[in-house]
Amino acid sequence: MIFLLQLIVVVVAFISDHVHEAIAQFVPPYSSVVIPVHKHIDAAKPLYSVEIMTAYVNMQYMHAKFLIDIDAPFIWHDCILKWNTFQDGCPANTLCTYPVSCEEYQCTDVRTTYSYQNPSGCPPVNNGSTLPGWGYCTCPVTVVDPVTGSCGEALLDYDEFTVNTSNGRNVFTGLYGAYPNAACAPSSSFASFPANVSGVMALSSSPYAFPAYLYQPLKRIIALCLPSTLSSPGVLFYGNSSYYLLPQSNVDIRSLLSYTPLIKHPDSFGYFIGVNSILIKTRSIDLLGNTTTRLSTIDPYTTLRTDIYKWVVRRFSLVTKRIPSAPPIAPFGLCFSTFNNGSIKVPDIEFNMNDGKKWSISTANSIKQITEEVACLAFVDGGATSEPAIVIGTFQLEDNFLMFDLENSTFGFSSSLLRKKTSCSNFNFTLTESN
Ligand SMILES: *[C@@H]1O[C@H](CO)[C@@H](O)[C@H](O)[C@H]1NC(C)=O
Ligand SMILES: *[C@@H]1O[C@H](CO)[C@@H](O)[C@H](O)[C@H]1NC(C)=O
Ligand SMILES: *[C@@H]1O[C@H](CO)[C@@H](O)[C@H](O)[C@H]1NC(C)=O
Ligand SMILES: *[C@@H]1O[C@H](CO)[C@@H](O)[C@H](O)[C@H]1NC(C)=O
Ligand SMILES: *[C@@H]1O[C@H](CO)[C@@H](O)[C@H](O)[C@H]1NC(C)=O
Ligand SMILES: *[C@@H]1O[C@H](CO)[C@@H](O)[C@H](O)[C@H]1NC(C)=O
Ligand SMILES: *[C@@H]1O[C@H](CO)[C@@H](O)[C@H](O)[C@H]1NC(C)=O
Ligand SMILES: *[C@@H]1O[C@H](CO)[C@@H](O)[C@H](O)[C@H]1NC(C)=O
């Protein structure tokens, strides 16, 4: 009997040993998750969305598009709270999620940690009313519409999103589930958004943004490539992976990147880098040490503090003297005549970082065609005291591969992919079976 027991113990120990080994050796077939990025031009400014999968209804996932916002502290979208969908079903064409109560720590956390994010003028929130039959109060939180800047209110929830896995080369059929705390807002909150975009995807460094809910084996690295066209999507990856864009199926995009440190900013979960100088054809403006530069997925054009803006416009008009000018069209200060229908070609604008790294802004990212006859330098004057002094906007980010490495606090950038004979719209989205 004792022998039998010993044998059982040995066998159990043997089995559990093997189970441990199997867990330790499990290497998932994917290195990242991959999400299509769409461009929208039907709102007040060009905006970009990620397409993710939400509820599983009638044996298939509902797809939803959320605005990309690298500053937002948490995700919010068009949904309603239901504490018990069995008793009281979810209405058709509505997304239902489970509420966070006012007594849970997430509620206090989101309200207190992010209160400084509220622009002055947003009214304070109170505890919400209880849901029928539930007995707890809901947790309203303040949200700021990234399109209009206006204040709103949303209710904190337990959410569920599904995305596809990848090896950086193809989309795998294997799926990855994330379970973030997000917040529900009524459909009317999204009136200023592009059509069919029904939420805000927070990609900031906040502990309640999407990256905080994606776990091992995924490393905290966001790679973002905003498309310049509506016809085929750009791409977002999360995870430490190699990345490939057609037609160069053997060039890891990481080999094309330059890196600079991400700088912490006390009042923001967004991403900042230091720019030392701006160079335009052999002449540069020294920015006196590091000038804090914010990256934005919402601002359409790069905004410069007035002194920097004036220098850039003066210098740029000198080096483009041979191109006939046109009366400026707001919000731009320097425009060119393109009546002869030739696409104009201008010198690069180089943003120099520490360690000699430079971000080259070439014609595709510096000149915006406004009408058939007029094209303008797509930089705007942010005012004499604008802080940060430089905000890099989306027109300058399109078709540039960007990598936010939150593990190492570094930012990788490619400059224009068009010069490398590819673009953000060249990821191969063909579904492939992962073993
Ligand atoms: C909300 O309710 C919780 C729990 O009852 C309480 O601790 C908190 O102070 C309330 N907050 C507000 C803003 O009323
Ligand atoms: C993700 O995978 C699912 C199931 O394999 C597929 O139906 C869906 O189209 C994929 N999404 C994208 C964006 O490729
Ligand atoms: C929005 O979605 C509807 C229904 O799926 C579709 O018919 C419409 O074309 C979409 N609109 C845009 C601008 O994408
Ligand atoms: C990501 O992978 C590269 C190459 O495999 C490696 O050098 C780097 O240290 C990794 N980064 C992180 C944060 O693990
Ligand atoms: C510039 O920024 C880097 C980090 O990006 C920091 O290490 C360095 O001390 C800064 N230099 C100045 C002059 O502020
Ligand atoms: C310019 O080119 C476009 C097509 O590229 C054409 O539709 C347009 O008529 C041309 N305009 C002039 C003034 O030649
Ligand atoms: C990034 O950080 C990881 C640890 O988080 C380290 O192993 C790796 O060497 C770092 N990579 C680079 C390129 O600094
Ligand atoms: C895209 O990926 C699929 C699946 O791996 C492959 O069959 C196809 O050849 C790829 N397309 C191109 C243009 O390389």
Side-chain angles (χ1 to χ4, degrees):
M1 183 64 193
I2 286 185
F3 172 74
L4 191 64
L5 269 181
Q6 272 176 345
L7 187 67
I8 291 170
V9 168
V10 167
V11 168
V12 167
F14 180 77
I15 291 171
S16 69
D17 236 39
H18 272 248
V19 170
H20 274 142
E21 233 170 69
I23 288 170
Q25 280 172 359
F26 174 72
V27 178
Y30 57 90
S31 52
S32 55
V33 298
V34 63
I35 304 176
V37 172
H38 301 280
K39 178 173 177 175
H40 304 269
I41 54 166
D42 56 340
K45 52 191 163 193
L47 292 161
Y48 308 81
S49 69
V50 285
E51 182 180 343
I52 55 163
M53 291 170 274
T54 53
Y56 193 67
V57 180
N58 298 331
M59 312 285 285
Q60 61 182 22
Y61 283 101
M62 287 166 68
H63 286 235
K65 289 179 182 155
F66 289 7
L67 210 62
I68 296 175
D69 188 344
I70 58 173
D71 286 305
F74 54 86
I75 307 160
W76 52 288
H77 64 119
D78 185 353
C79 53
I80 62 170
L81 298 180
K82 285 272 178 195
W83 75 274
N84 185 346
T85 47
F86 292 110
Q87 216 172 57
D88 172 20
C90 188
N93 298 322
T94 307
L95 195 53
C96 295
T97 64
Y98 192 81
V100 167
S101 92
C102 61
E103 290 177 14
E104 287 173 279
Y105 76 91
Q106 292 97 325
C107 183
T108 332
D109 236 31
V110 170
R111 280 177 176 174
T112 54
T113 317
Y114 304 123
S115 54
Y116 59 78
Q117 292 265 339
N118 295 352
S120 51
C122 281
V125 287
N126 292 310
N127 285 335
S129 53
T130 66
L131 299 177
W134 190 45
Y136 302 97
C137 50
T138 55
C139 178
V141 287
T142 301
V143 292
V144 178
D145 180 330
V147 184
T148 61
S150 60
C151 307
E153 220 173 85
L155 299 173
L156 212 61
D157 73 359
Y158 289 98
D159 231 307
E160 178 174 352
F161 299 137
T162 305
V163 293
N164 295 63
T165 54
S166 174
N167 58 352
R169 198 184 278 281
N170 275 117
V171 182
F172 289 157
T173 48
L175 301 174
Y176 184 98
Y179 304 90
N181 286 119
C184 287
S187 307
S188 58
S189 315
F190 304 96
S192 62
F193 282 41
N196 298 343
V197 176
S198 61
V200 172
M201 179 56 75
L203 294 176
S204 68
S205 62
S206 152
Y208 288 92
F210 194 48
Y213 295 95
L214 302 167
Y215 296 106
Q216 292 288 356
L218 299 175
K219 286 280 188 333
R220 294 185 303 137
I221 298 177
I222 304 166
L224 177 62
C225 207
L226 299 179
S228 56
T229 81
L230 310 191
S231 52
S232 57
V235 63
L236 172 85
F237 298 98
Y238 186 87
N240 195 16
S241 178
S242 42
Y243 313 107
Y244 299 92
L245 295 171
L246 295 171
Q248 287 104 314
S249 48
N250 286 313
V251 178
D252 179 356
I253 297 297
R254 290 181 302 181
S255 69
L256 307 177
L257 306 183
S258 301
Y259 296 91
T260 191
L262 280 170
I263 299 171
K264 297 241 178 320
H265 196 281
D267 291 335
S268 171
F269 293 113
Y271 301 109
F272 297 81
I273 56 175
V275 174
N276 286 336
S277 65
I278 300 176
L279 181 130
I280 302 174
K281 210 174 179 181
T282 71
R283 291 276 174 82
S284 65
I285 180 171
D286 188 352
L287 300 176
L288 308 171
N290 297 334
T291 291
T292 307
T293 299
R294 185 165 69 85
L295 297 154
S296 172
T297 51
I298 299 294
D299 293 310
Y301 310 107
T302 294
T303 304
L304 304 171
R305 200 179 55 209
T306 302
D307 54 318
I308 307 173
Y309 176 79
K310 282 197 166 142
W311 182 87
V312 167
V313 166
R314 214 164 39 232
R315 180 74 193 142
F316 203 79
S317 58
L318 262 177
V319 301
T320 53
K321 269 206 305 254
R322 62 193 163 78
I323 306 171
S325 65
I329 296 178
F332 306 114
L334 180 62
C335 296
F336 304 97
S337 167
T338 56
F339 64 86
N340 55 6
N341 221 6
S343 57
I344 59 175
K345 178 127 184 36
V346 297
D348 284 1
I349 299 173
E350 282 179 11
F351 280 46
N352 293 307
M353 329 273 169
N354 292 322
D355 336 319
K357 303 294 171 53
K358 59 177 189 225
W359 186 339
S360 297
I361 299 173
S362 48
T363 310
N365 295 111
S366 65
I367 300 293
K368 185 181 166 85
Q369 195 75 41
I370 311 289
T371 66
E372 214 169 79
E373 285 97 40
V374 181
C376 298
L377 176 65
F379 285 70
V380 297
D381 184 350
T385 57
S386 77
E387 210 295 307
I390 303 176
V391 178
I392 299 185
T394 54
F395 189 77
Q396 278 70 38
L397 299 181
E398 285 182 352
D399 288 325
N400 281 240
F401 197 92
L402 313 176
M403 194 171 122
F404 303 88
D405 182 340
L406 311 185
E407 303 271 352
N408 295 46
S409 229
T410 56
F411 172 68
F413 54 96
S414 65
S415 298
S416 182
L417 291 174
L418 306 178
R419 286 213 170 137
K420 316 270 161 58
K421 303 280 182 280
T422 184
S423 79
C424 288
S425 304
N426 281 27
F427 182 69
N428 186 349
F429 274 103
T430 310
L431 270 180
T432 316
E433 202 71 46
S434 58
N435 31 0

